[in-house]
Amino acid sequence: MSLELLGAPAAKASCVGLAANAEAIYTAWEHTAGGTVMGLGTAGTITWQYDIAGIPTNILLVEDRLIVPFTNTAFTSEGIALFDISKNRPSPAVVTIQCPSCPSGLSAYPCHAAVAADNKTAYIVNEDGASVFVIDLETAQVIDRLTIGRSLSRLYLLPDSHLAIGTSNLFADLSLIDLTGGPLLAITNTKRQLLSTIAILP
C-alpha cells in the first residue's frame, strides 16, 4: 500500500465521513471556510471534488446518490447537498432546511441521514434542532418536519415499519420514534454511555 496526499498541505481539514461502492470511495471534509466532497478511485487517486459553502457533517451513499448534510458558516444556511454520482463530475442539488441568519432562525445542525427502503425519502436528523426533516430525494424538496423535542444524533429505520430508533450523544440514550407523525414513543432508562452508531438486524 502507498500513501496518497489529498489537497493542499497548508489547508487544515477533518474527514467527517466515508462511503464506498465497488468503483469508488467518497469522502466529506470540513475546513474553516466550508467543506469539500471528493470522489476517489480504488487506487486512491482523486477523480473529482466539489467545494460546498457549508460545513459537511456526514456523508451517505444510496445507489447513485450521495447525501451530504451540512451546517452553516457565517455566510451560509444549513441543508443537504445531493450529488448524482452517475455523472462524470457531479454538482449537487442543494436543499436548504434552516436559515440561522434569519431573525427567527435557530441552528438545526443536520448531522445524519437515514433513507427509506424505496430510496426515495430521506430523514435528516437535526441534532441542535431536536427535529427530523423529511426530504423527497427525487424532487430535492422538504416534504415534512417532525418535531421530536429531544436532541438526536443518528436515526435508524426499523425494517417494514413506520418506526425508527434515534441515538443521542447529548443524553446517551435511545429513543423510539413514530415517523408518521413524529411523536416520541419511548426513551431508554439508562445511565450508561451509549455509542451513537448502532446496527438494526432484520
Side-chain angles (χ1 to χ4, degrees), residues 36-86:
T36 301
V37 179
M38 186 182 297
L40 300 97
T42 53
T45 56
I46 300 172
T47 57
W48 62 270
Q49 70 178 50
Y50 190 94
D51 294 329
I52 61 176
I55 300 172
T57 57
N58 212 322
I59 189 169
L60 179 69
L61 174 63
V62 180
E63 293 186 335
D64 287 336
R65 186 180 284 119
L66 283 176
I67 302 172
V68 183
F70 62 87
T71 189
N72 62 300
T73 66
F75 306 101
T76 62
S77 300
E78 297 178 291
I80 312 299
L82 302 174
F83 292 84
D84 182 353
I85 58 173
S86 65

Side-chain angles (χ1 to χ4, degrees), residues 2-200:
S2 61
L3 179 66
E4 179 74 20
L5 298 179
L6 305 176
K12 293 182 179 179
S14 299
C15 183
V16 296
L18 292 167
N21 57 22
E23 292 79 35
I25 302 165
Y26 305 96
T27 64
W29 300 78
E30 68 170 46
H31 45 78
T32 305
T36 301
V37 179
M38 186 182 297
L40 300 97
T42 53
T45 56
I46 300 172
T47 57
W48 62 270
Q49 70 178 50
Y50 190 94
D51 294 329
I52 61 176
I55 300 172
T57 57
N58 212 322
I59 189 169
L60 179 69
L61 174 63
V62 180
E63 293 186 335
D64 287 336
R65 186 180 284 119
L66 283 176
I67 302 172
V68 183
F70 62 87
T71 189
N72 62 300
T73 66
F75 306 101
T76 62
S77 300
E78 297 178 291
I80 312 299
L82 302 174
F83 292 84
D84 182 353
I85 58 173
S86 65
K87 299 178 180 177
N88 186 28
R89 298 186 66 82
S91 59
V94 176
V95 183
T96 300
I97 63 170
Q98 192 81 318
C99 177
S101 62
C102 297
S104 60
L106 297 173
S107 178
Y109 196 77
C111 62
H112 189 247
V115 177
D118 62 5
N119 293 329
K120 295 180 180 179
T121 305
Y123 298 87
I124 310 301
V125 174
N126 300 302
E127 191 166 37
D128 291 350
S131 62
V132 175
F133 277 87
V134 185
I135 308 290
D136 185 320
L137 293 174
E138 296 186 337
T139 63
Q141 298 289 325
V142 176
I143 56 176
D144 201 0
R145 178 184 178 182
L146 309 178
T147 301
I148 306 301
R150 187 175 181 81
S151 175
L152 299 178
S153 304
R154 290 177 179 264
L155 191 72
Y156 300 87
L157 309 184
L158 297 180
D160 304 318
S161 169
H162 60 278
L163 302 176
I165 293 177
T167 68
S168 173
N169 290 338
L170 178 62
F171 298 109
D173 59 14
L174 303 176
S175 300
L176 182 64
I177 301 162
D178 183 350
L179 295 174
T180 60
L184 191 58
L185 301 177
I187 302 168
T188 55
N189 181 16
T190 178
K191 299 297 182 183
R192 298 176 183 173
Q193 180 69 40
L194 298 177
L195 297 175
S196 63
T197 303
I198 63 173
I200 304 294

